[in-house]
Amino acid sequence: IPLIVVNCIILGRAEAFANRSNILSSLLDALGMGLGFSAALIVVASVREILGNGTLFNIPLFGESFQPLLIMVLPPGAFITMAFVFAALNLLQKRNRKGAA
């Protein structure tokens, strides 16, 4: 059910934007949203594969002594990864605000 809810939120947002915008703006918005979600999925999947299997595209990244983190290939691994991504983004925003002030 959560997947259906997320899809409805994404489609609802796209439809709301398209209703009040012209075709070109709606097309660019949809392209940007698609690229943004794709980038987020690629980042999360890459981190989980690297820490959970020690590989990236089935290419081993670490030596034989690497002990993969089992939790990273399980559903909680996605939440942990997203938490660290959000923390990093918040840290970057704080640093940018400090530097601009």
Side-chain angles (χ1 to χ4, degrees):
I1 291 178
L3 182 61
I4 293 170
V5 172
V6 171
N7 287 337
C8 290
I9 291 169
I10 292 168
L11 290 172
R13 187 239 171 244
E15 184 177 348
F17 185 86
N19 276 337
R20 64 176 193 265
S21 301
N22 61 26
I23 293 174
L24 182 60
S25 295
S26 298
L27 181 67
L28 292 175
D29 178 67
L31 184 64
M33 291 291 290
L35 289 173
F37 279 111
S38 296
L41 286 172
I42 289 169
V43 167
V44 171
S46 297
V47 169
R48 290 179 72 195
E49 183 178 353
I50 291 168
L51 297 178
N53 293 326
T55 62
L56 188 60
F57 301 113
N58 279 338
I59 300 169
L61 299 177
F62 306 109
E64 294 290 323
S65 62
F66 177 72
Q67 294 292 319
L69 299 172
L70 176 63
I71 196 165
M72 295 308 287
V73 297
L74 298 173
F79 292 109
I80 293 168
T81 302
M82 288 303 299
F84 280 110
V85 168
F86 289 146
L89 290 174
N90 285 335
L91 183 65
L92 288 173
Q93 285 179 347
K94 275 187 180 181
R95 285 187 181 174
N96 285 342
R97 282 188 212 134
K98 228 182 217 184

